[in-house]
Amino acid sequence: MKKNISNREDPVLGTSGSPVNLNVYFVKSGETLESISWDLHLENPNYLREYHNARCSPLDIVPENGTLRLLQKLHIPVSDKILRINRQIREKGESLCYLLPNGKIPLNINLINGDYFVRQTESDDAIQKYEYAYKLHFSYFKTIQDRHYIHFSMSSFQKDGEEPEEKINHLAADLVKIMYPVTLILDSSGNFVAAESYKEVKEMIREIEALKAYHAGAYAASHIDQMKQNISDSQNMYRGLKKILALQFVFNKFYQAEYRSEDTTLPYRDEFSWLAPASPIQLEMIHKTLLQTDPQFVELLQTGKSVDYRTAQELFYTDFEYDESIRPHSDSVKAKHQAKYILDSKDFSIQKIKAEFDLQMPDYKKKMTFELEKQP
């Protein structure tokens, strides 16, 4: 509770002449209904607004959007009353207290285990061009010196609702059997920092080279040689995996975002490969918690806008290092990102992500969507 807020309610006479207990606080610069609720440990700011409005003068009514004035007199409940209000909030499934004592969403890496279905679409000028679908599998197996190790694989690839043509599908299936699972290595904050082969690299290269005996043609040979190159160097493999959009959504700075109030984070930067194989786009992100409509789930809205100085064309110059000292300019890529995360309210494991990305090009608009859902 704030230092200058009393822990007792002072009785005054109400309109009926009976005692009414009031505790008054004056709003400071930069404070919001949410931040004051956070300091009071009151689990839903709407209840603070209702508490205040039931006791204030007409001139001090807080509107539905929660806007406060500097030095506005705010009636607040004392500790015992807050406990009773919080019980009521939880009984109605309207608690926003799931944002933890540390102000961050907790990383429970062992809960990543399971299968996930992913669907992505791409549209130009509101006309859908492609739809991709595939499955992911994660299996956590150890932690050593603050590094988490997870077996990862992909399967069941489809484009526009159909499997690839037979020859390509057979080659892809054979490569998947050899290459997966791979081991993803995460740091203690949930960042994907390295990758390594599950099998011996020399053995995998021999098995991949042997596929040329079963898959003839220039395309197959070129694809096989590319796969050999990718797995021969762990850094090559890591860079390739790091461009997978699904991995960026699951293992990124999402868990490092700091909540400045019960419902909003401080801005932070992250990158997403919406335009793969182009370089990831640099975005400034903010999270906002949504009203809890189902006590089993926590819903968070992640919004972002491009802070990338490169043009859309320059994003495809993947050999250049990003220079953080260069500021965006009039020709820089203009893009918006929005993602809704649905988490289990008990353990904060990701259950579903639904995202979209809008890119403004000189001659047209590009829109992309991404959906990930954990399978039962």
Side-chain angles (χ1 to χ4, degrees), residues 21 38 78 99 282 324:
N21 290 327
W38 176 270
V78 294
L99 293 182
Q282 304 290 318
E324 293 187 359

Side-chain angles (χ1 to χ4, degrees), residues 112 118 120 134 136 138 190 242 244-255 270-274 283 285 302 337-341 350 352-357 368-372:
I112 193 66
V118 176
Q120 295 177 223
Y134 50 94
L136 309 177
F138 297 107
K242 196 170 173 61
I244 297 176
L245 191 61
L247 295 185
Q248 293 171 353
F249 272 104
V250 177
F251 306 120
N252 58 16
K253 295 181 180 178
F254 173 79
Y255 296 103
D270 207 346
E271 58 182 27
F272 281 83
S273 297
W274 279 106
L283 299 163
M285 300 290 201
Q302 179 190 67
H337 164 111
Q338 179 172 291
K340 179 195 257 187
Y341 283 74
I350 294 175
K352 188 174 183 179
I353 302 171
K354 189 172 183 178
E356 59 184 42
F357 175 80
M368 308 180 80
T369 68
F370 172 90
E371 294 180 27
L372 175 148

Side-chain angles (χ1 to χ4, degrees), residues 257-314:
E258 297 184 10
Y259 287 79
R260 61 186 176 187
S261 71
E262 277 285 350
D263 73 341
T264 308
T265 66
L266 294 167
Y268 69 95
R269 285 198 177 191
D270 207 346
E271 58 182 27
F272 281 83
S273 297
W274 279 106
L275 296 175
S279 299
I281 297 176
Q282 304 290 318
L283 299 163
E284 183 177 82
M285 300 290 201
I286 289 178
H287 297 177
K288 184 176 179 62
T289 60
L290 304 178
L291 185 62
Q292 192 175 13
T293 57
D294 186 332
Q296 297 183 61
F297 301 105
V298 174
E299 294 187 358
L300 305 174
L301 184 64
Q302 179 190 67
T303 56
K305 63 178 180 180
S306 172
V307 288
D308 206 306
Y309 66 84
R310 295 168 294 184
T311 66
Q313 290 75 22
E314 288 172 340

Side-chain angles (χ1 to χ4, degrees), residues 312-327:
Q313 290 75 22
E314 288 172 340
L315 288 170
F316 288 87
Y317 302 158
T318 55
D319 292 335
F320 292 94
E321 290 289 331
Y322 186 82
D323 187 344
E324 293 187 359
S325 67
I326 301 178
R327 305 286 296 175

Side-chain angles (χ1 to χ4, degrees), residues 140-155:
Y140 164 80
F141 69 100
K142 67 179 179 179
T143 295
I144 300 177
Q145 297 180 341
D146 293 328
R147 288 289 190 265
H148 306 298
Y149 293 76
I150 297 170
H151 288 157
F152 164 71
S153 60
M154 302 176 70
S155 63

